[in-house]
Amino acid sequence: MSEKTKNLLEEKTIYRLIPCQAYDAEAMESWLSALAAQGLFLQKDGIFLGVASFYKALAMPVLRYRLDVAEDKKRLSGSTTPTEEILEMYAEMGWEYVCAWNHFHIYRAGSPAAPELNTDPRVQAQSIKWLQTTVAWGMLTPILIFCINGYGILRAPLLAFVELGTGFSLVALLLLLWLAAECAGALHRIAVLRRTLAQGLPMNHHKDWKKHWLLYNGVRAAMWVVAILWFYALFSNFAEDATKRNQIPLTEYTGTLPFLTAEALVPGAEVHYKNMYPGWENSVSIRRELFAPQVIHYEAFADLILPGGEKLEAVIETEYYEMATLWLAKWMAHDCTATASRHRQHDDFPQEYDKTLSYPIVYHYIWPTVLMRKGRSVIKCQLRVERPPQNAYGEYEDWFVLTNTDWVDLVWQSLPD
Amino acid sequence: MPRKALVELTESMFYLLLAFQNGPQCGTDAAAFVRRASRGRVVLGPATLYTILAKFEQVKYLEEIAVDGRKRTYRITEKGREAYRAEVQRLTICLSDAQALPAAASPALLESGSELEWECAE
């Protein structure tokens, strides 16, 4: 039915959710043909994000919709849009192109005299083979990109889970599982279709599309909600980072922190916080996550005036995780170590600090960094204490006033038992 | 893009090669010929026709010799003729094998499923 000759009953567009799973070509053909019998005809380019738009015209019970694999068989156009040559040849045989859906082109024929679009299932199976390869690569590519870019997440999943936030991570995990299930389902459907066609059996143009539509649309609606939640969590994370909403300036914080702080570094010393660079905050942020009742980020840059009048400059940047169980704490320590292991210059300390794992370790990432676990507490602490410039060139003498062993002792003693 | 010869021709493929034995023609003319030659038994739908034409071009059974607007004219190649002859020979052997079967004259025997012995056609 061409756009010029259609007998419009209503000008308004009617929308319907597509009730078929991705790549279920048989169900899609059956559904579109059934709607045509009710007088609903798919509009040109009328499919977007799982919603199809229709116009209402005189019902045509014999109108057939058929799907053809969107393979550029002759590699003429370099795209998956049907070429003018195809459009003309198909039209000559009674088939009108409507729109694309999931690597398929949708055609329709109003004349019973028009031959079927595909008359040889074994030939059609060859096109489905192309589809199978294309879809498999299309699904594999994001997985590969994720594996390369998300290497840090795969290497230290619990650390990533806690750092990204429980809500965000759970929703992301749910979405990933759903996508994986969708991909596996789509590939399975294509494989089954290819096997059927390769046996010489034609596609079932009258498949019962109603069978699973409620379940399918229910799951899809739920996933849209989850996807919206994910975006909300993503933007909340960004907003939190941008506004530093959770950060409390150290000068205002009155609580006790369960690890080494600038105030506790040298007993009796005066602490004068200062800015390392514009935008630097001497602050602490405390939050609670599902697996970690306490996650604390702490950063301090200060002059320490010792009782004797000597002045030292100190920097402490700490990430502290109090995990829900000992097992989770060991896992977290493992993840932190995995992340730290890329810094080559590190020293393992004797196991006297932790009988089960070779913590703490100290490595040099800009400054010495102590990483250790004590019970359910895991801490990563970047530390520096030095004397201000002593000579005319502004060079630092006694670059590190404390040794790595000093740091380890100080941090270890500050942690709760 | 695969260039290897097709292992097996389907009926549609065979009839399309048969059509091009008559000389160069466009795809739709070849499809019309197939319908006539098979007395309407073999019909080539547009998707099937286009897929086979593309495949035959890939494996060099057909070559495009003229383009008039969007109408393309194809000619069978020597490789295509060889494939056609090989298929005819295979089908001839199949036919003579079938004719050598004593039960061929009596379909009822075949339907009964009884084991039969026959001489293979040479």
Side-chain angles (χ1 to χ4, degrees), chain A residues 375-389:
Chain A
R376 290 190 291 115
S377 301
V378 178
I379 190 166
K380 192 177 100 176
C381 197
Q382 269 194 44
L383 304 141
R384 176 171 68 102
V385 173
E386 58 200 18
R387 292 193 176 88

PDB file of all heavy atoms in Angstrom, chain A residues 375-389:
ATOM      1  N   GLY A 375      42.073  -6.058  61.214  1.00  0.00           N
ATOM      2  CA  GLY A 375      40.709  -6.510  61.477  1.00  0.00           C
ATOM      3  C   GLY A 375      39.807  -6.174  60.306  1.00  0.00           C
ATOM      4  O   GLY A 375      40.123  -6.499  59.162  1.00  0.00           O
ATOM      5  N   ARG A 376      38.706  -5.449  60.575  1.00  0.00           N
ATOM      6  CA  ARG A 376      37.764  -5.102  59.503  1.00  0.00           C
ATOM      7  C   ARG A 376      38.086  -3.749  58.865  1.00  0.00           C
ATOM      8  O   ARG A 376      37.345  -3.260  58.022  1.00  0.00           O
ATOM      9  CB  ARG A 376      36.334  -5.089  60.053  1.00  0.00           C
ATOM     10  CG  ARG A 376      35.825  -6.495  60.409  1.00  0.00           C
ATOM     11  CD  ARG A 376      34.346  -6.498  60.708  1.00  0.00           C
ATOM     12  NE  ARG A 376      34.007  -5.812  61.956  1.00  0.00           N
ATOM     13  CZ  ARG A 376      33.289  -4.706  62.035  1.00  0.00           C
ATOM     14  NH1 ARG A 376      32.833  -4.132  60.948  1.00  0.00           N
ATOM     15  NH2 ARG A 376      33.014  -4.165  63.193  1.00  0.00           N
ATOM     16  N   SER A 377      39.205  -3.136  59.301  1.00  0.00           N
ATOM     17  CA  SER A 377      39.581  -1.822  58.768  1.00  0.00           C
ATOM     18  C   SER A 377      40.628  -1.968  57.671  1.00  0.00           C
ATOM     19  O   SER A 377      41.608  -2.687  57.840  1.00  0.00           O
ATOM     20  CB  SER A 377      40.154  -0.946  59.872  1.00  0.00           C
ATOM     21  OG  SER A 377      39.210  -0.778  60.888  1.00  0.00           O
ATOM     22  N   VAL A 378      40.375  -1.292  56.576  1.00  0.00           N
ATOM     23  CA  VAL A 378      41.361  -1.256  55.485  1.00  0.00           C
ATOM     24  C   VAL A 378      41.668   0.211  55.245  1.00  0.00           C
ATOM     25  O   VAL A 378      40.751   1.044  55.163  1.00  0.00           O
ATOM     26  CB  VAL A 378      40.801  -1.896  54.197  1.00  0.00           C
ATOM     27  CG1 VAL A 378      41.831  -1.810  53.070  1.00  0.00           C
ATOM     28  CG2 VAL A 378      40.406  -3.344  54.449  1.00  0.00           C
ATOM     29  N   ILE A 379      42.952   0.519  55.155  1.00  0.00           N
ATOM     30  CA  ILE A 379      43.319   1.933  54.997  1.00  0.00           C
ATOM     31  C   ILE A 379      44.379   2.100  53.917  1.00  0.00           C
ATOM     32  O   ILE A 379      45.270   1.267  53.767  1.00  0.00           O
ATOM     33  CB  ILE A 379      43.806   2.528  56.346  1.00  0.00           C
ATOM     34  CG1 ILE A 379      43.951   4.041  56.245  1.00  0.00           C
ATOM     35  CG2 ILE A 379      45.099   1.885  56.797  1.00  0.00           C
ATOM     36  CD1 ILE A 379      44.103   4.732  57.596  1.00  0.00           C
ATOM     37  N   LYS A 380      44.195   3.140  53.139  1.00  0.00           N
ATOM     38  CA  LYS A 380      45.219   3.536  52.173  1.00  0.00           C
ATOM     39  C   LYS A 380      45.535   4.988  52.487  1.00  0.00           C
ATOM     40  O   LYS A 380      44.633   5.840  52.492  1.00  0.00           O
ATOM     41  CB  LYS A 380      44.704   3.411  50.742  1.00  0.00           C
ATOM     42  CG  LYS A 380      45.811   3.530  49.712  1.00  0.00           C
ATOM     43  CD  LYS A 380      45.269   3.325  48.323  1.00  0.00           C
ATOM     44  CE  LYS A 380      45.072   4.671  47.662  1.00  0.00           C
ATOM     45  NZ  LYS A 380      44.642   4.594  46.282  1.00  0.00           N
ATOM     46  N   CYS A 381      46.790   5.235  52.770  1.00  0.00           N
ATOM     47  CA  CYS A 381      47.150   6.528  53.347  1.00  0.00           C
ATOM     48  C   CYS A 381      48.392   7.082  52.644  1.00  0.00           C
ATOM     49  O   CYS A 381      49.445   6.467  52.693  1.00  0.00           O
ATOM     50  CB  CYS A 381      47.421   6.263  54.830  1.00  0.00           C
ATOM     51  SG  CYS A 381      47.414   7.682  55.841  1.00  0.00           S
ATOM     52  N   GLN A 382      48.214   8.201  51.973  1.00  0.00           N
ATOM     53  CA  GLN A 382      49.375   8.873  51.360  1.00  0.00           C
ATOM     54  C   GLN A 382      49.910   9.886  52.358  1.00  0.00           C
ATOM     55  O   GLN A 382      49.139  10.704  52.885  1.00  0.00           O
ATOM     56  CB  GLN A 382      48.946   9.623  50.100  1.00  0.00           C
ATOM     57  CG  GLN A 382      49.060   8.803  48.845  1.00  0.00           C
ATOM     58  CD  GLN A 382      48.944   9.696  47.617  1.00  0.00           C
ATOM     59  OE1 GLN A 382      49.547  10.761  47.574  1.00  0.00           O
ATOM     60  NE2 GLN A 382      48.184   9.244  46.652  1.00  0.00           N
ATOM     61  N   LEU A 383      51.192   9.851  52.604  1.00  0.00           N
ATOM     62  CA  LEU A 383      51.758  10.644  53.696  1.00  0.00           C
ATOM     63  C   LEU A 383      53.018  11.373  53.269  1.00  0.00           C
ATOM     64  O   LEU A 383      53.805  10.845  52.488  1.00  0.00           O
ATOM     65  CB  LEU A 383      52.120   9.710  54.855  1.00  0.00           C
ATOM     66  CG  LEU A 383      50.979   8.848  55.396  1.00  0.00           C
ATOM     67  CD1 LEU A 383      51.493   7.482  55.741  1.00  0.00           C
ATOM     68  CD2 LEU A 383      50.349   9.510  56.582  1.00  0.00           C
ATOM     69  N   ARG A 384      53.173  12.541  53.832  1.00  0.00           N
ATOM     70  CA  ARG A 384      54.423  13.271  53.599  1.00  0.00           C
ATOM     71  C   ARG A 384      54.624  14.233  54.763  1.00  0.00           C
ATOM     72  O   ARG A 384      53.699  14.965  55.136  1.00  0.00           O
ATOM     73  CB  ARG A 384      54.328  14.059  52.291  1.00  0.00           C
ATOM     74  CG  ARG A 384      55.528  14.929  51.990  1.00  0.00           C
ATOM     75  CD  ARG A 384      55.418  15.483  50.582  1.00  0.00           C
ATOM     76  NE  ARG A 384      54.326  16.448  50.465  1.00  0.00           N
ATOM     77  CZ  ARG A 384      54.502  17.767  50.455  1.00  0.00           C
ATOM     78  NH1 ARG A 384      55.710  18.285  50.563  1.00  0.00           N
ATOM     79  NH2 ARG A 384      53.486  18.578  50.341  1.00  0.00           N
ATOM     80  N   VAL A 385      55.802  14.193  55.345  1.00  0.00           N
ATOM     81  CA  VAL A 385      56.171  15.200  56.352  1.00  0.00           C
ATOM     82  C   VAL A 385      57.588  15.634  56.023  1.00  0.00           C
ATOM     83  O   VAL A 385      58.479  14.813  55.867  1.00  0.00           O
ATOM     84  CB  VAL A 385      56.127  14.638  57.784  1.00  0.00           C
ATOM     85  CG1 VAL A 385      56.687  15.666  58.767  1.00  0.00           C
ATOM     86  CG2 VAL A 385      54.702  14.299  58.181  1.00  0.00           C
ATOM     87  N   GLU A 386      57.768  16.918  55.867  1.00  0.00           N
ATOM     88  CA  GLU A 386      59.110  17.388  55.499  1.00  0.00           C
ATOM     89  C   GLU A 386      59.351  18.770  56.102  1.00  0.00           C
ATOM     90  O   GLU A 386      58.415  19.451  56.534  1.00  0.00           O
ATOM     91  CB  GLU A 386      59.262  17.420  53.990  1.00  0.00           C
ATOM     92  CG  GLU A 386      58.248  18.294  53.319  1.00  0.00           C
ATOM     93  CD  GLU A 386      58.078  17.962  51.856  1.00  0.00           C
ATOM     94  OE1 GLU A 386      58.480  16.870  51.437  1.00  0.00           O
ATOM     95  OE2 GLU A 386      57.536  18.790  51.139  1.00  0.00           O
ATOM     96  N   ARG A 387      60.596  19.124  56.087  1.00  0.00           N
ATOM     97  CA  ARG A 387      60.937  20.462  56.582  1.00  0.00           C
ATOM     98  C   ARG A 387      60.834  21.449  55.421  1.00  0.00           C
ATOM     99  O   ARG A 387      61.165  21.102  54.293  1.00  0.00           O
ATOM    100  CB  ARG A 387      62.354  20.464  57.148  1.00  0.00           C
ATOM    101  CG  ARG A 387      62.467  19.645  58.424  1.00  0.00           C
ATOM    102  CD  ARG A 387      63.766  19.908  59.139  1.00  0.00           C
ATOM    103  NE  ARG A 387      63.780  19.172  60.402  1.00  0.00           N
ATOM    104  CZ  ARG A 387      64.210  17.934  60.529  1.00  0.00           C
ATOM    105  NH1 ARG A 387      64.679  17.280  59.479  1.00  0.00           N
ATOM    106  NH2 ARG A 387      64.166  17.318  61.694  1.00  0.00           N
ATOM    107  N   PRO A 388      60.400  22.662  55.707  1.00  0.00           N
ATOM    108  CA  PRO A 388      60.328  23.669  54.637  1.00  0.00           C
ATOM    109  C   PRO A 388      61.728  23.972  54.105  1.00  0.00           C
ATOM    110  O   PRO A 388      62.720  23.598  54.732  1.00  0.00           O
ATOM    111  CB  PRO A 388      59.726  24.885  55.330  1.00  0.00           C
ATOM    112  CG  PRO A 388      59.094  24.369  56.556  1.00  0.00           C
ATOM    113  CD  PRO A 388      59.872  23.175  56.980  1.00  0.00           C
ATOM    114  N   PRO A 389      61.822  24.649  52.948  1.00  0.00           N
ATOM    115  CA  PRO A 389      63.127  24.916  52.343  1.00  0.00           C
ATOM    116  C   PRO A 389      64.095  25.551  53.326  1.00  0.00           C
ATOM    117  O   PRO A 389      63.740  26.468  54.071  1.00  0.00           O
ATOM    118  CB  PRO A 389      62.802  25.879  51.203  1.00  0.00           C
ATOM    119  CG  PRO A 389      61.381  25.640  50.912  1.00  0.00           C
ATOM    120  CD  PRO A 389      60.730  25.210  52.185  1.00  0.00           C
TER     121      PRO A 389
END
